[in-house]
Coordinates of all heavy atoms in Angstrom, one line a residue:
G1 N -2.2 -3.7 4.3 CA -2.9 -3.2 3.2 C -3.9 -4.2 2.6 O -3.8 -5.4 2.9
I2 N -4.9 -3.7 1.9 CA -6.0 -4.6 1.4 C -6.4 -4.0 0.1 O -6.7 -2.8 -0.1 CB -7.1 -4.8 2.4 CG1 -8.1 -5.8 1.8 CG2 -7.8 -3.5 2.7 CD1 -9.1 -6.3 2.9
T3 N -6.5 -4.9 -0.9 CA -7.0 -4.4 -2.2 C -8.5 -4.5 -2.3 O -9.2 -5.0 -1.4 CB -6.5 -5.3 -3.4 OG1 -7.0 -6.6 -3.2 CG2 -4.9 -5.3 -3.3
R4 N -9.1 -4.0 -3.4 CA -10.5 -4.0 -3.5 C -11.1 -5.4 -3.5 O -12.2 -5.7 -3.0 CB -11.0 -3.2 -4.7 CG -12.5 -3.1 -4.8 CD -12.9 -2.2 -6.0 NE -14.3 -2.0 -6.1 CZ -15.1 -1.2 -5.4 NH1 -14.5 -0.3 -4.6 NH2 -16.4 -1.2 -5.6
D5 N -10.3 -6.4 -4.1 CA -10.8 -7.7 -4.2 C -10.5 -8.6 -2.9 O -10.8 -9.8 -2.9 CB -10.2 -8.4 -5.4 CG -8.7 -8.7 -5.3 OD1 -8.1 -8.3 -4.3 OD2 -8.2 -9.2 -6.3
G6 N -9.9 -7.9 -1.9 CA -9.7 -8.6 -0.6 C -8.3 -9.1 -0.3 O -8.1 -9.7 0.7
S7 N -7.4 -9.0 -1.3 CA -6.1 -9.5 -1.0 C -5.4 -8.6 0.1 O -5.5 -7.4 0.0 CB -5.2 -9.4 -2.3 OG -5.8 -10.3 -3.3
T8 N -4.7 -9.3 1.0 CA -4.1 -8.5 2.1 C -2.6 -8.7 2.2 O -2.1 -9.7 1.7 CB -4.7 -9.0 3.4 OG1 -4.5 -10.4 3.6 CG2 -6.2 -8.7 3.5
N9 N -1.9 -7.8 2.8 CA -0.5 -7.9 3.1 C -0.2 -7.3 4.5 O -0.9 -6.4 4.9 CB 0.4 -7.3 2.0 CG 0.2 -5.8 1.9 OD1 0.7 -5.0 2.6 ND2 -0.6 -5.5 0.9
Y10 N 0.8 -7.8 5.2 CA 1.1 -7.3 6.5 C 2.6 -7.1 6.7 O 3.4 -7.9 6.0 CB 0.7 -8.3 7.6 CG -0.8 -8.5 7.6 CD1 -1.4 -9.6 6.8 CD2 -1.7 -7.7 8.3 CE1 -2.8 -9.8 6.8 CE2 -3.0 -7.9 8.3 CZ -3.6 -9.0 7.6 OH -4.9 -9.2 7.6
A11 N 3.0 -6.2 7.5 CA 4.4 -6.1 7.9 C 4.7 -7.3 8.7 O 3.9 -7.8 9.5 CB 4.6 -4.8 8.7
D12 N 6.0 -7.7 8.6 CA 6.4 -8.9 9.4 C 6.2 -8.7 10.9 O 5.9 -9.7 11.6 CB 7.9 -9.2 9.1 CG 8.2 -9.7 7.7 OD1 7.2 -10.2 7.1 OD2 9.4 -9.7 7.3
S13 N 6.3 -7.5 11.4 CA 6.2 -7.2 12.8 C 4.8 -7.4 13.4 O 4.7 -7.6 14.6 CB 6.7 -5.8 13.1 OG 6.0 -4.9 12.4
V14 N 3.8 -7.4 12.5 CA 2.4 -7.6 12.9 C 1.8 -8.8 12.4 O 0.6 -9.1 12.8 CB 1.6 -6.3 12.6 CG1 2.2 -5.1 13.0 CG2 1.3 -6.3 11.1
Q15 N 2.4 -9.6 11.6 CA 1.9 -10.8 11.0 C 1.4 -11.7 12.1 O 2.2 -12.0 13.1 CB 2.9 -11.5 10.2 CG 2.4 -12.7 9.4 CD 1.5 -12.4 8.3 OE1 1.8 -11.5 7.5 NE2 0.4 -13.1 8.1
G16 N 0.2 -12.2 12.0 CA -0.4 -13.1 13.0 C -1.0 -12.5 14.1 O -1.7 -13.1 14.9
R17 N -0.8 -11.2 14.3 CA -1.5 -10.4 15.4 C -2.5 -9.4 14.9 O -3.5 -9.2 15.7 CB -0.4 -9.7 16.2 CG 0.7 -10.6 16.8 CD 1.6 -9.8 17.8 NE 2.4 -8.8 17.0 CZ 2.3 -7.5 17.3 NH1 1.5 -7.0 18.2 NH2 3.0 -6.6 16.6
F18 N -2.3 -8.8 13.8 CA -3.2 -7.9 13.2 C -4.0 -8.4 12.1 O -3.4 -9.3 11.3 CB -2.5 -6.6 12.7 CG -1.8 -5.8 13.8 CD1 -1.7 -6.2 15.1 CD2 -1.3 -4.5 13.5 CE1 -1.1 -5.4 16.1 CE2 -0.7 -3.7 14.4 CZ -0.6 -4.2 15.7
T19 N -5.2 -8.0 11.9 CA -6.0 -8.4 10.7 C -6.7 -7.2 10.1 O -7.3 -6.4 10.8 CB -7.1 -9.4 11.1 OG1 -6.5 -10.5 11.7 CG2 -7.9 -9.8 9.9
I20 N -6.4 -7.0 8.8 CA -7.1 -5.9 8.1 C -8.3 -6.4 7.3 O -8.2 -7.5 6.8 CB -6.1 -5.2 7.1 CG1 -6.7 -3.9 6.5 CG2 -5.6 -6.1 6.0 CD1 -5.7 -3.0 5.8
S21 N -9.3 -5.6 7.3 CA -10.5 -6.0 6.5 C -11.2 -4.8 6.0 O -10.8 -3.7 6.4 CB -11.5 -6.8 7.4 OG -11.9 -6.1 8.5
R22 N -12.2 -5.0 5.1 CA -12.9 -3.8 4.6 C -14.3 -4.1 4.3 O -14.6 -5.3 4.1 CB -12.2 -3.3 3.3 CG -12.3 -4.2 2.1 CD -11.4 -3.7 1.0 NE -12.0 -2.4 0.4 CZ -11.3 -1.7 -0.5 NH1 -10.1 -2.0 -0.9 NH2 -11.9 -0.6 -1.0
D23 N -15.1 -3.1 4.4 CA -16.5 -3.2 3.9 C -16.7 -2.2 2.8 O -16.8 -1.0 3.0 CB -17.5 -2.9 5.1 CG -18.9 -3.1 4.7 OD1 -19.3 -3.0 3.6 OD2 -19.7 -3.4 5.7
T24 N -16.6 -2.7 1.6 CA -16.6 -1.9 0.4 C -17.9 -1.0 0.3 O -17.8 0.1 0.0 CB -16.4 -2.7 -0.8 OG1 -15.2 -3.4 -0.7 CG2 -16.3 -1.8 -2.1
A25 N -19.0 -1.7 0.7 CA -20.3 -0.9 0.6 C -20.3 0.2 1.6 O -21.0 1.2 1.3 CB -21.4 -1.9 0.9
K26 N -19.6 0.1 2.7 CA -19.5 1.2 3.7 C -18.3 2.1 3.5 O -18.1 3.0 4.3 CB -19.5 0.6 5.1 CG -20.8 -0.1 5.5 CD -20.7 -0.6 6.9 CE -22.0 -1.4 7.3 NZ -21.9 -1.9 8.6
N27 N -17.5 1.9 2.5 CA -16.3 2.6 2.3 C -15.4 2.7 3.5 O -14.8 3.7 3.9 CB -16.6 4.1 1.8 CG -17.3 4.1 0.5 OD1 -17.1 3.2 -0.4 ND2 -18.2 5.1 0.3
T28 N -15.3 1.6 4.2 CA -14.6 1.5 5.5 C -13.6 0.4 5.5 O -13.8 -0.7 5.0 CB -15.6 1.3 6.6 OG1 -16.6 2.4 6.6 CG2 -15.0 1.2 8.0
V29 N -12.5 0.7 6.2 CA -11.4 -0.3 6.4 C -11.2 -0.4 7.9 O -11.3 0.6 8.6 CB -10.1 0.1 5.7 CG1 -9.5 1.4 6.2 CG2 -9.1 -1.0 5.8
Y30 N -10.9 -1.6 8.4 CA -10.7 -1.9 9.8 C -9.3 -2.5 10.0 O -8.7 -3.1 9.1 CB -11.7 -2.9 10.3 CG -13.1 -2.5 10.0 CD1 -13.8 -3.0 8.8 CD2 -13.8 -1.7 10.9 CE1 -15.1 -2.6 8.6 CE2 -15.1 -1.3 10.6 CZ -15.8 -1.8 9.5 OH -17.1 -1.4 9.2
L31 N -8.8 -2.3 11.2 CA -7.6 -3.0 11.6 C -7.8 -3.6 13.0 O -7.9 -2.8 14.0 CB -6.4 -2.0 11.6 CG -5.0 -2.7 11.9 CD1 -4.6 -3.6 10.8 CD2 -4.0 -1.7 12.2
Q32 N -7.9 -4.9 13.1 CA -8.0 -5.5 14.4 C -6.6 -5.8 14.9 O -5.9 -6.5 14.2 CB -8.8 -6.8 14.3 CG -8.9 -7.6 15.6 CD -9.8 -6.9 16.6 OE1 -10.8 -6.4 16.3 NE2 -9.3 -6.9 17.8
M33 N -6.3 -5.3 16.1 CA -5.0 -5.4 16.6 C -5.0 -6.2 17.9 O -5.6 -5.8 18.9 CB -4.3 -4.1 16.9 CG -4.3 -3.2 15.7 SD -3.4 -1.6 15.9 CE -4.5 -0.9 17.1
N34 N -4.4 -7.4 17.9 CA -4.4 -8.3 19.1 C -2.9 -8.4 19.6 O -2.0 -8.2 18.9 CB -5.0 -9.6 18.8 CG -6.4 -9.6 18.4 OD1 -7.2 -8.8 18.8 ND2 -6.8 -10.5 17.4
S35 N -2.8 -8.9 20.8 CA -1.5 -9.2 21.4 C -0.6 -8.0 21.3 O 0.6 -8.1 20.9 CB -0.9 -10.4 20.8 OG -1.7 -11.5 21.0
L36 N -1.1 -6.8 21.6 CA -0.3 -5.6 21.4 C 0.9 -5.5 22.2 O 0.9 -6.0 23.4 CB -1.2 -4.4 21.6 CG -2.2 -4.1 20.5 CD1 -3.3 -3.2 21.0 CD2 -1.5 -3.4 19.3
R37 N 2.0 -4.9 21.7 CA 3.2 -4.8 22.3 C 3.6 -3.3 22.4 O 3.1 -2.5 21.6 CB 4.3 -5.5 21.5 CG 4.0 -6.9 21.2 CD 5.0 -7.5 20.1 NE 4.7 -8.9 19.9 CZ 5.2 -9.5 18.8 NH1 6.0 -8.9 18.0 NH2 5.0 -10.8 18.7
P38 N 4.5 -2.9 23.4 CA 4.9 -1.5 23.5 C 5.4 -1.0 22.1 O 5.2 0.2 21.8 CB 6.0 -1.5 24.5 CG 5.6 -2.7 25.4 CD 5.0 -3.7 24.5
E39 N 6.1 -1.8 21.4 CA 6.7 -1.3 20.1 C 5.6 -1.1 19.0 O 5.9 -0.5 18.0 CB 7.7 -2.3 19.6 CG 7.2 -3.7 19.5 CD 7.6 -4.6 20.7 OE1 7.6 -4.1 21.8 OE2 8.1 -5.7 20.5
D40 N 4.4 -1.4 19.3 CA 3.3 -1.1 18.4 C 2.8 0.4 18.6 O 2.0 0.9 17.9 CB 2.1 -2.0 18.6 CG 2.4 -3.4 18.2 OD1 3.0 -3.6 17.2 OD2 2.0 -4.4 19.0
T41 N 3.3 1.0 19.6 CA 2.9 2.4 19.9 C 3.3 3.4 18.8 O 4.3 3.3 18.2 CB 3.6 2.9 21.2 OG1 3.1 2.1 22.3 CG2 3.3 4.4 21.5
G42 N 2.3 4.2 18.4 CA 2.5 5.2 17.4 C 1.2 5.8 16.9 O 0.2 5.5 17.5
V43 N 1.3 6.7 16.0 CA 0.2 7.3 15.4 C -0.2 6.5 14.2 O 0.7 6.2 13.3 CB 0.4 8.8 15.0 CG1 -0.9 9.3 14.3 CG2 0.7 9.6 16.2
Y44 N -1.4 6.0 14.1 CA -1.8 5.1 13.0 C -2.7 5.9 12.1 O -3.6 6.6 12.4 CB -2.7 3.9 13.6 CG -1.8 2.9 14.2 CD1 -1.1 3.1 15.4 CD2 -1.7 1.6 13.6 CE1 -0.3 2.1 15.9 CE2 -0.9 0.6 14.1 CZ -0.2 0.9 15.3 OH 0.6 -0.1 15.8
Y45 N -2.3 5.8 10.8 CA -3.0 6.5 9.7 C -3.6 5.5 8.7 O -3.0 4.5 8.4 CB -2.0 7.4 8.9 CG -1.3 8.4 9.7 CD1 -0.1 8.1 10.4 CD2 -1.8 9.7 9.8 CE1 0.6 9.1 11.1 CE2 -1.1 10.7 10.6 CZ 0.1 10.3 11.2 OH 0.8 11.3 11.9

């Protein structure tokens, strides 16, 4: 998750592998996922 001021939080299972960011001007949020594992499989919302 990410707040409007840029504060972030992560699930323990993705800490250090995933990075959330946002471009407020574009009303867009991103999730960079690295070192993916089979247990990361799922529908992402």
Side-chain angles (χ1 to χ4, degrees):
I2 185 167
T3 66
R4 187 173 178 86
D5 67 4
S7 298
T8 60
N9 63 80
Y10 299 92
D12 289 343
S13 59
V14 308
Q15 184 75 43
R17 300 187 296 118
F18 292 10
T19 302
I20 188 171
S21 61
R22 69 187 290 170
D23 186 332
T24 302
K26 295 180 179 178
N27 296 329
T28 300
V29 63
Y30 307 93
L31 186 67
Q32 178 66 47
M33 305 185 294
N34 298 325
S35 302
L36 284 162
R37 306 165 179 169
E39 53 263 42
D40 294 319
T41 294
V43 179
Y44 283 68
Y45 301 88

